Amino acid sequence: MRAMKLTGIRQMELMKVPDPEIQDDHDVLIRMMSVGVCGSDVHYYTTGRIGTQIVQYPFMVGHEGAGIVEKVGPSVSTLKPGDHVAIDPAMPCFDCDQCKAGRHNTCRHLCFLGCPGQAEGCLCDFLVMPESSCFKIDNRLNFEQAAISEPLAIGVYAVKSSIPMKGAKVGILGCGPIGMSVLLPALEQGAHKVYVSDKIDARLNIARQSGASWTGNTTRIDLVKEIVKEEPLLLDVVFEACGQQDAVDQALDLLKPGGKLMLIGIPEVERISFVMDKMRRKEICVQNVRRQNGCVRETLDKIANGTYRVKDWVTHRFPLEQAQDAFELVANYHDGVLKAMIEFD
């Protein structure tokens, strides 16, 4: 089969590799149809690492996927060949202390698609996954929407993990796919006002069309000054969704005393810092978000019934052979990109 692999910093090569085979009775063989390009994929492409996770070349990234079931293991009971599925890239052990406590997203032995040292990704024609990571979809969802359920489920989980949304005043700093994935469930759960920032006008336009109360381009305005004009008592919660130090600084200025900072963005740098005087005096609570936990089915259902509208998210499409063009586009934030999608024939 074809597989697009990283071969160096900002280098990719289309290779021929053996077709994967079912190894476990609970495995499912999937023919890939759509794979989204995620910011974490791009980190591996541009720097070769995220923290201690370092790429050993050649390596295949990609974890936002959907496809068609080709074959199932003898113990698979919920799927059959021909079924369309969304793929949850996480493969927890279900047996460690974290899994038994319901924290599958922090499983001690987690394998995750496209994560160095864990599992190769899904930028390939065929993929084998455990049945527990495959979610059947019906004809209300296309493959692109099914792939988008992966980042959107992270936003659903982040909002659930933050504060009660009803009546809340919310900030979202960074309006790429993860920022948008926070916006939709925040609005659905009753946020009173949502303030969104980004450096790309096209993304802000989609955020406004999706219900954001206010949007601002941080390349042209003093974000904190402008939001404080609107909300002199400041915001209840801020979701930092771009992994940038300046956004963390802005978040501390925007949060009211007792407010909550949710860190979702993945920084390229090893460390970020906080102005401790502001954090201490305001008694700010900080929480990290580690992917998602148990939100995939809910997310798929809400896309299918129209609660979460994601039809405008895919702004660019590429065949597998042009995956590097997609990665360069996303890495350079060109052409108003929100979500680039790799499409298979």
Side-chain angles (χ1 to χ4, degrees):
M1 70 172 182
R2 300 173 303 162
M4 183 63 80
K5 296 199 176 193
L6 303 181
T7 56
I9 299 299
R10 294 187 105 107
Q11 296 176 5
M12 302 181 82
E13 182 181 336
L14 188 64
M15 302 179 177
K16 287 287 188 178
V17 302
D19 291 347
E21 296 183 358
I22 287 177
Q23 301 290 333
D24 185 274
D25 287 353
H26 295 278
D27 281 347
V28 177
L29 177 66
I30 302 163
R31 175 158 56 96
M32 298 304 301
M33 297 301 293
S34 293
V35 176
V37 178
C38 175
S40 61
D41 298 327
V42 173
H43 285 335
Y44 291 128
Y45 173 70
T46 58
T47 69
R49 66 187 299 164
I50 295 177
T52 59
Q53 295 164 318
I54 302 172
V55 173
Q56 300 294 315
Y57 301 107
F59 182 72
M60 182 165 51
V61 293
H63 60 268
E64 301 176 2
I68 302 172
V69 174
E70 289 282 307
K71 185 178 179 181
V72 300
S75 295
V76 172
S77 61
T78 62
L79 297 168
K80 64 183 186 303
D83 285 344
H84 293 189
V85 292
I87 298 166
D88 178 356
M91 295 169 275
C93 73
F94 298 106
D95 194 46
C96 69
D97 63 319
Q98 293 294 292
C99 286
K100 289 179 177 178
R103 294 184 55 88
H104 299 103
N105 58 326
T106 54
C107 169
R108 302 277 187 181
H109 310 292
L110 185 71
C111 283
F112 194 89
L113 287 181
C115 186
Q118 297 181 21
E120 293 227 34
C122 58
L123 278 174
C124 52
D125 289 318
F126 296 96
L127 179 72
V128 169
M129 292 294 288
E131 178 184 16
S132 57
S133 293
C134 301
F135 289 78
K136 186 177 178 179
I137 60 173
D138 60 31
N139 58 12
R140 293 177 298 168
L141 288 176
N142 60 37
F143 293 113
E144 288 185 346
Q145 292 169 319
I148 285 171
S149 71
E150 197 279 331
L152 184 49
I154 296 171
V156 171
Y157 173 64
V159 170
K160 285 185 175 182
S161 303
S162 61
I163 66 171
M165 283 289 115
K166 189 170 180 60
K169 296 176 180 179
V170 177
I172 301 173
L173 308 186
C175 198
I178 294 299
M180 285 296 300
S181 294
V182 171
L183 175 63
L184 298 189
L187 291 170
E188 181 217 359
Q189 293 181 33
H192 178 57
K193 287 187 177 180
V194 182
Y195 294 81
V196 176
S197 70
D198 203 272
K199 296 179 179 180
I200 299 175
D201 285 334
R203 291 179 171 182
L204 296 173
N205 290 337
I206 294 174
R208 280 195 297 274
Q209 293 165 10
S210 299
S213 311
W214 180 98
T215 60
N217 188 315
T218 54
T219 66
R220 295 196 297 269
I221 64 168
D222 182 327
L223 177 71
V224 174
K225 182 179 179 181
E226 294 302 316
I227 292 181
V228 170
K229 284 181 184 177
E230 300 287 327
E231 300 291 346
L233 296 181
L234 306 178
L235 305 180
D236 299 296
V237 60
V238 173
F239 296 84
E240 195 285 316
C242 56
Q244 300 294 321
Q245 178 66 60
D246 59 353
V248 172
D249 295 337
Q250 291 163 350
L252 292 184
D253 288 332
L254 289 170
L255 282 164
K256 71 179 186 181
K260 191 167 189 179
L261 170 57
M262 303 293 294
L263 297 176
I264 317 175
I266 300 176
E268 286 193 349
V269 297
E270 189 169 324
R271 295 174 181 267
I272 59 172
S273 62
F274 300 92
V275 180
M276 292 307 299
D277 184 59
K278 291 180 181 178
M279 289 188 67
R280 181 176 61 84
R281 290 181 180 276
K282 286 187 174 182
E283 199 178 54
I284 298 300
C285 177
V286 179
Q287 181 172 337
N288 284 276
V289 176
R290 180 61 168 167
R291 298 174 179 150
Q292 67 85 31
N293 191 19
C295 296
V296 175
R297 183 78 265 167
E298 172 188 348
T299 301
L300 287 166
D301 290 343
K302 289 184 177 180
I303 297 173
N305 67 26
T307 301
Y308 297 151
R309 299 184 180 277
V310 299
K311 65 182 181 66
D312 296 327
W313 284 27
V314 180
T315 54
H316 299 77
R317 296 171 175 85
F318 298 83
L320 182 62
E321 310 87 72
Q322 297 176 18
Q324 184 161 4
D325 294 335
F327 275 62
E328 281 292 325
L329 177 80
V330 177
N332 295 309
Y333 301 99
H334 282 167
D335 196 31
V337 61
L338 177 60
K339 174 58 69 178
M341 193 72 67
I342 308 301
E343 304 286 5
F344 294 72
D345 296 331

